[in-house]
Amino acid sequence: MNPLIFTTILMTVLLGTMIVMMSSHWLMIWIGFEMNLLAIIPILMKKYNPRTMEASTKYFLTQATASMLLMMAIIINLMHSGQWTITKVFNPTASIIMTSALAMKLGLTPFHFWVPEVTQGISLTSGLILLTWQKLAPMSILYQISPSINLNILLTMAVLSILVGGWGGLNQTQLRKIMAYSSIAHMGWMTAVLVYNPTLTMLNMLIYIMMTLTMFMLFIHSSSTTTLSLSHTWNKTPLITTLILITLLSMGGLPPLSGFMPKWMIIQELTKNSSIILPTLMAIMALLNLYFYMRLTYSTSLTMFPSTNNMKMKWQFETKRITLLPPLIVMSSLLLPLTPMLSILD
Amino acid sequence: MMTYIVFILSVIFVVSFVGFSSKPSPIYGGLVLIVSGGVGCGIIMNFGGSFLGLMVFLIYLGGMLVVFGYTTAMATEQYPEVWVSNTTVMGVFLLGLLMEVMLVLYVLKSEEVGVVFEFSGVGDWAIYDTGDSGVFSEEIMGVAALYSYGAWVVIVTGWSLFVGVLVILEVTRGD
């Protein structure tokens, strides 16, 4: 793609999310979402083959439907409250429709079907932008309307997302699909605590973005999109192999790595609000996630995965220089001792 | 009839939307889009927005839909689908019409409609003269406000349209 056009379109994606996050008028928020959607389509279609075109079309259709639902909720809110400012949405119908629209944008169950298919069809870098940056805008709106969200609907979607994210990822060997199901599960954790303590949603979002960024950078560095291809990194860069182990275990939520911090805080917040069964179920279902992360570490870092002898030397073009990989790895594994600092938030 | 003109125009609006949602060939979709554009213009004008109604005709129908018509004419197929040519299309169209007729009868018969919204019969569509818009027309004031206080909106929408063109060119360029 022409570098000037590519820069313009990438900046427009950033501008769209910024407009969503900083506007106080519902119409501007909707315009921000549409600008974001329009500009990310050519980024998803960077390579012109039928898979990327199909993935971009699927993404466009689902997100456009979600934008339409969002507009309908905005207009119902206007009809009943007479104003356009972002406050909690007082009308229950508008609130339910808006929650469904934002769940479609995030990829929560039962609207999760597009996430694995779209992530699989696009390149690794585009998948990175899709799973991290695109989650910021809907989550910021959910944060702003969180006092008025129907608890039953949101918790149902959250728990089902954790279940689907864990269960659906079990049978996958393609790394992008694994990351997609991981994203669905993490979104479920984030929205489960939204009504109780929205700050923890933002904490979870921050840590999730760091870990997903790290994982994708590690995949891009070793140019691998399947488990088999990833299992050959021991021969090329053994250090990267170790770091894949550490980051994957952090994603699974194991102490003493940073991925444990959001899960711990969320479970603590939920039990403080006298719901015991829910966090127990969520923690148990997170084990499904941990299982397929551990399977990746088993095939990559812990064993020499069986392959034919001529595939043991991993062949690729010159080593990619990945920006900021060491700081990202450090941040996504060693942040747990900083947990007491959370008391400065609110 | 003039009290309920907005209601009648809204019904025609919905029927034309059903007409192109049942997916005949795009050239016939463009045909009902013209009808729905004209009817939409009528709805806006009944609320006092004469300038905006004229904008719909000039820009939407006279600019965008003409370009759409030309591009569809270039990409048309030998036997385009009409509403009666394909059983599926006709079935969907009739289903949409049936649902609209049922909704209209429901609104006309009952005092209050409480499906998703609450309407008080047909009364909500009648135009009242609220008396507030005395000397100035609200709608022209709104357009003036868009270009003065609402400069940010103009910038954002202008940029969105520009990026829209860039995106379309980039997507259709291919390799």
Side-chain angles (χ1 to χ4, degrees):
Chain A
M1 203 190 286
N2 181 2
L4 183 61
I5 307 278
F6 183 65
T7 315
T8 313
I9 288 182
L10 201 61
M11 289 299 123
T12 310
V13 174
L14 266 61
L15 180 66
T17 309
M18 285 292 126
I19 289 178
V20 170
M21 298 208 289
M22 72 179 187
S23 293
S24 52
H25 193 276
W26 276 117
L27 193 64
M28 293 305 294
I29 288 186
W30 183 82
I31 292 179
F33 272 122
E34 293 296 292
M35 191 193 287
N36 194 5
L37 170 62
L38 197 62
I40 204 171
I41 295 298
I43 294 182
L44 296 185
M45 283 178 64
K46 253 197 301 199
K47 302 194 183 79
Y48 295 95
N49 54 47
R51 269 175 306 286
T52 54
M53 293 196 212
E54 181 184 338
S56 317
T57 314
K58 279 182 193 160
Y59 184 68
F60 183 76
L61 286 175
T62 53
Q63 300 283 306
T65 313
S67 288
M68 283 197 289
L69 281 176
L70 183 67
M71 181 51 107
M72 178 153 148
I74 292 173
I75 294 184
I76 300 176
N77 184 31
L78 173 71
M79 216 166 82
H80 284 267
S81 67
Q83 47 85 36
W84 290 91
T85 22
I86 315 289
T87 51
K88 53 183 268 189
V89 177
F90 290 97
N91 186 16
T93 313
S95 171
I96 292 176
I97 296 180
M98 193 172 290
T99 313
S100 311
L102 294 169
M104 277 180 82
K105 283 198 176 285
L106 279 177
L108 288 175
T109 314
F111 309 115
H112 67 277
F113 294 98
W114 60 270
V115 188
E117 299 176 13
V118 173
T119 319
Q120 179 61 28
I122 54 185
S123 63
L124 275 171
T125 324
S126 305
L128 170 66
I129 300 180
L130 183 76
L131 288 183
T132 53
W133 184 259
Q134 295 293 91
K135 310 290 183 201
L136 282 177
M139 197 51 91
S140 77
I141 302 298
L142 274 177
Y143 181 94
Q144 286 172 332
I145 64 170
S146 61
S148 59
I149 299 182
N150 186 348
L151 186 63
N152 300 321
I153 289 190
L154 197 67
L155 278 183
T156 313
M157 286 201 283
V159 168
L160 284 178
S161 300
I162 302 175
L163 187 61
V164 163
W167 222 340
L170 282 182
N171 199 21
Q172 308 297 338
T173 52
Q174 295 283 333
L175 294 177
R176 288 170 286 183
K177 277 204 169 128
I178 287 180
M179 294 310 294
Y181 281 107
S182 143
S183 153
I184 298 173
H186 280 270
M187 290 298 135
W189 277 92
M190 283 183 228
T191 47
V193 80
L194 185 68
V195 186
Y196 297 107
N197 191 353
T199 315
L200 292 180
T201 306
M202 288 300 137
L203 171 74
N204 198 352
M205 172 67 88
L206 191 65
I207 307 250
Y208 161 74
I209 287 182
M210 273 195 300
M211 294 190 298
T212 310
L213 207 60
T214 314
M215 278 319 299
F216 267 102
M217 296 295 194
L218 289 168
F219 293 155
I220 292 174
H221 179 87
S222 51
S223 295
S224 49
T225 54
T226 61
T227 310
L228 186 62
S229 165
L230 192 67
S231 66
H232 294 136
T233 49
W234 64 268
N235 208 346
K236 190 143 177 72
T237 45
L239 187 56
I240 296 286
T241 312
T242 323
L243 297 171
I244 289 178
L245 165 75
I246 295 181
T247 316
L248 274 173
L249 290 181
S250 180
M251 280 198 90
L254 289 184
L257 303 168
S258 14
F260 179 58
M261 190 189 342
K263 290 197 165 57
W264 174 21
M265 292 289 118
I266 289 176
I267 292 179
Q268 186 169 12
E269 196 64 35
L270 283 172
T271 50
K272 268 193 228 167
N273 279 288
S274 310
S275 72
I276 314 288
I277 304 180
L278 185 72
T280 314
L281 274 178
M282 283 163 58
I284 291 177
M285 293 191 289
L287 287 177
L288 292 170
N289 259 326
L290 183 63
Y291 177 74
F292 59 78
Y293 295 141
M294 294 238 10
R295 190 168 50 195
L296 268 184
T297 62
Y298 176 78
S299 68
T300 309
S301 331
L302 299 178
T303 58
M304 282 166 57
F305 207 58
S307 61
T308 52
N309 273 336
N310 62 347
M311 282 180 72
K312 286 205 183 349
M313 278 302 292
K314 192 174 168 69
W315 178 89
Q316 66 176 54
F317 292 110
E318 76 275 5
T319 314
K320 301 189 168 67
R321 184 186 308 163
I322 310 287
T323 351
L324 285 185
L325 191 56
L328 275 176
I329 294 174
V330 168
M331 280 207 292
S332 61
S333 27
L334 295 176
L335 276 186
L336 192 63
L338 290 179
T339 313
M341 267 184 62
L342 291 179
S343 53
I344 65 172
L345 299 164
D346 248 344
Chain B
M1 184 197 90
M2 274 313 280
T3 2
Y4 299 116
I5 187 72
V6 175
F7 181 65
I8 296 173
L9 290 177
S10 308
V11 171
I12 304 178
F13 194 66
V14 173
V15 167
S16 15
F17 267 57
V18 168
F20 70 72
S21 306
S22 50
K23 282 191 270 295
S25 162
I27 200 72
Y28 292 103
L31 182 66
V32 290
L33 264 182
I34 295 176
V35 173
S36 73
V39 162
C41 164
I43 298 177
I44 298 176
M45 290 218 261
N46 273 303
F47 282 104
S50 47
F51 174 65
L52 290 174
L54 209 59
M55 282 296 113
V56 167
F57 256 108
L58 268 178
I59 310 297
Y60 183 68
L61 295 186
M64 304 202 294
L65 207 61
V66 162
V67 173
F68 173 72
Y70 277 127
T71 51
T72 316
M74 281 198 290
T76 192
E77 55 219 2
Q78 199 181 10
Y79 295 107
E81 298 246 6
V82 200
W83 293 281
V84 296
S85 67
N86 188 0
T87 326
T88 318
V89 174
M90 185 161 74
V92 174
F93 182 56
L94 289 179
L95 182 67
L97 270 185
L98 180 70
M99 296 205 57
E100 174 65 13
V101 163
M102 286 192 343
L103 186 66
V104 165
L105 288 177
Y106 184 29
V107 168
L108 285 176
K109 285 282 188 310
S110 61
E111 273 308 305
E112 207 185 70
V113 178
V115 179
V116 177
F117 315 98
E118 272 137 34
F119 296 129
S120 52
V122 196
D124 259 2
W125 272 275
I127 316 271
Y128 305 112
D129 199 2
T130 50
D132 286 323
S133 51
V135 183
F136 312 110
S137 149
E138 286 178 344
E139 157 240 13
I140 289 289
M141 289 290 112
V143 175
L146 175 70
Y147 287 104
S148 57
Y149 302 112
W152 175 239
V153 182
V154 176
I155 295 174
V156 167
T157 42
W159 182 252
S160 304
L161 292 173
F162 174 62
V163 166
V165 172
L166 278 186
V167 161
I168 289 171
L169 287 178
E170 192 55 49
V171 164
T172 49
R173 188 165 60 122
D175 243 330

